[in-house]
Amino acid sequence: MSTADSTRVTGLLPASTRVVELGETFSTALAGRFLERLGAHVTRVVPTGEEVELDTLGPRLGDDKHGPSAAGVWLRQNKDTIDLDPRAPEARARLDDLLDDADVVLIAGTTSRWSEKGIDLDDVRRRASGAVIGHVTAWGDDGTRTHLRSNELLLQAAGGFMNLIGSASREPVRLGSHPLRATAGLLVLDGVMIGLFHRQSTGQATSFETSEFEAAAHLEWKIASVFQTGQPIDRRGDEGGGPLVARTRDGHFGLFFTPRDWDGVKEMLGDPRLDDPRFATPGSRALHERELKELVEETTLPMSKKELYARAQARSIPSGYVATMSDLLDSPQYRARDSFQRVEVPGVGAGEIPDAPWAVRTIDDLDEEDGA
């Protein structure tokens, strides 16, 4: 898999930085991807015969239902991969060499799981004693949940995120993509960069542990605070007034307004029927959710989602349209910022993947822009 040259500059780490991914989850793979974009050399170590999570995620690329995972193509870009049997002496010696030279080690999975595969994580830490080590599990490294399966759906269910969308009268639905696991990946990246800074400043390596479930608690902190103070936990529909997802002529548009935004919503939509007492309060809007949506869609169906987005932005109303891949790839902002890498995927063809969500600019760059 090759990558075309890009004008976007993302590297900050020395080219000699070595990262080892021991095992793989979405979160550790994302942290490794961003470390690669920061300039590190990243090596994935996958135990022989292990089903790798990213290979199970859709969507698939190409016409074949068994084509490569889009998430896998993105998150493994420019990484080396080593498939080895941890119990084989030659393979273990190769792993030891990688750990000896590592600046960063990302460990995915519990201590007990790695022990079953023949790897003692204490031995890994001793071998990589000069590295920053991040250990990431799904539910924690010990306790009653460590054996449980994990995926984005389960994390959102356990973390309370299914309260954010959907109708109270329907089955729960999850937020799209992988927001909780991506958050965990960003927290891992934070831990690594803090650790590298600490090592540079003091000469001492460090390690940290986190879990994807902790990332959910970090992101949706309001649920934990409500629970700890003994307040009733909101159910879907209790708040009323949002999110309200309405159809448009080219897709869907979501209003995530709070009660104080209601007057602005009415002004934006321009329908006097919204002054009906049935829609006067959050509770009454929740009770008459179906009628409210029908009225709103009489206005939104003839309009484009981007037109509605602009109207809501002008009134500071929290909102967003459901973006398709074409919307994202054609975004003038993303294009102006050179936000994609062009790649060649064997058996599929050429395509684009997201680059790092940052660009490095120097004083010289700013001087050139000022001169222009």
Side-chain angles (χ1 to χ4, degrees):
M1 194 180 306
S2 61
T3 305
D5 291 337
S6 172
T7 60
R8 191 179 183 87
V9 179
T10 62
L12 287 170
L13 295 174
S16 60
T17 306
R18 296 289 182 265
V19 177
V20 175
E21 292 182 13
L22 190 56
E24 182 181 71
T25 63
F26 188 98
S27 56
T28 57
L30 181 68
R33 161 67 176 169
F34 286 159
L35 287 167
E36 184 276 324
R37 297 312 296 144
L38 281 165
H41 182 276
V42 181
T43 301
R44 300 171 57 239
V45 177
V46 182
T48 301
E50 180 174 270
E51 180 182 61
V52 183
E53 179 192 50
L54 289 188
D55 291 332
T56 68
L57 299 179
R60 302 285 176 181
L61 301 181
D63 299 328
D64 185 354
K65 65 179 181 180
H66 300 296
S69 160
V73 169
W74 171 43
L75 296 178
R76 294 171 180 161
Q77 188 67 26
N78 293 337
K79 298 178 182 178
D80 291 338
T81 299
I82 296 177
D83 187 315
L84 56 78
D85 179 359
R87 300 183 189 275
E90 291 184 3
R92 186 54 187 265
R94 189 177 185 189
L95 174 59
D96 288 346
D97 288 342
L98 287 171
L99 295 173
D100 285 338
D101 295 335
D103 297 288
V104 177
V105 179
L106 302 178
I107 304 170
T110 63
T111 299
S112 60
R113 172 181 169 274
W114 281 108
S115 181
E116 292 169 1
K117 296 179 182 298
I119 292 182
D120 185 328
L121 292 188
D122 286 337
D123 289 343
V124 170
R125 293 183 178 94
R126 283 189 287 268
R127 176 67 67 169
S129 59
V132 176
I133 300 176
H135 184 193
V136 188
T137 60
W139 307 102
D141 198 38
D142 53 34
T144 58
R145 293 187 175 187
T146 56
H147 68 287
L148 296 178
R149 183 183 171 195
S150 172
N151 55 38
E152 183 68 29
L153 174 65
L154 294 175
L155 287 166
Q156 290 191 24
F161 278 74
M162 291 184 180
N163 180 56
L164 299 179
I165 60 173
S167 167
S169 61
R170 297 286 302 274
E171 66 279 0
V173 293
R174 54 162 279 191
L175 294 167
S177 190
H178 304 272
L180 297 190
R181 307 188 100 179
T183 298
L186 292 173
L187 293 176
V188 171
L189 180 65
D190 285 346
V192 167
M193 298 305 289
I194 292 169
L196 289 174
F197 178 78
H198 177 78
R199 191 181 71 167
Q200 183 183 35
S201 302
T202 67
Q204 297 177 343
T206 188
S207 65
F208 63 91
E209 295 183 0
T210 190
S211 72
E212 293 171 336
F213 188 53
E214 287 178 89
H218 170 82
L219 195 59
E220 188 49 78
W221 57 269
K222 296 184 293 297
I223 292 176
S225 63
V226 166
F227 179 79
Q228 290 169 357
T229 55
Q231 299 178 51
I233 297 175
D234 291 334
R235 305 298 177 185
R236 285 180 300 150
D238 283 352
E239 285 295 315
L244 190 155
V245 181
R247 293 173 295 167
T248 67
R249 72 164 185 258
D250 55 356
H252 293 81
F253 175 76
L255 284 164
F256 293 82
F257 58 87
T258 62
R260 68 172 178 267
D261 298 313
W262 179 238
D263 287 340
V265 171
K266 291 192 293 183
E267 178 190 347
M268 180 186 82
L269 296 173
D271 188 336
R273 292 177 295 176
L274 294 175
D275 288 323
D276 190 299
R278 292 176 299 168
F279 311 131
T281 67
S284 62
R285 288 194 289 274
L287 286 174
H288 301 283
E289 179 183 10
R290 180 174 299 179
E291 299 98 308
L292 175 62
K293 184 173 181 178
E294 289 174 354
L295 280 183
V296 169
E297 286 190 340
E298 287 185 30
T299 299
T300 62
L301 274 171
M303 300 175 65
S304 75
K305 57 191 179 184
K306 293 181 182 179
E307 181 183 357
L308 285 162
Y309 183 51
R311 284 192 181 189
Q313 279 189 314
R315 294 167 175 81
S316 300
I317 299 171
S319 64
Y321 59 84
V322 179
T324 65
M325 290 306 300
S326 295
D327 290 330
L328 298 176
L329 289 169
D330 294 337
S331 164
Q333 179 178 355
Y334 287 156
R335 286 297 166 192
R337 293 180 59 79
D338 196 19
S339 296
F340 300 100
Q341 283 181 288
R342 190 162 184 79
V343 298
E344 190 73 31
V345 182
V348 177
E352 292 181 306
I353 59 174
D355 204 336
W358 67 82
V360 177
R361 301 169 72 194
T362 66
I363 294 297
D364 291 339
D365 296 329
L366 296 176
D367 289 342
E368 289 179 9
E369 291 176 9
D370 290 341

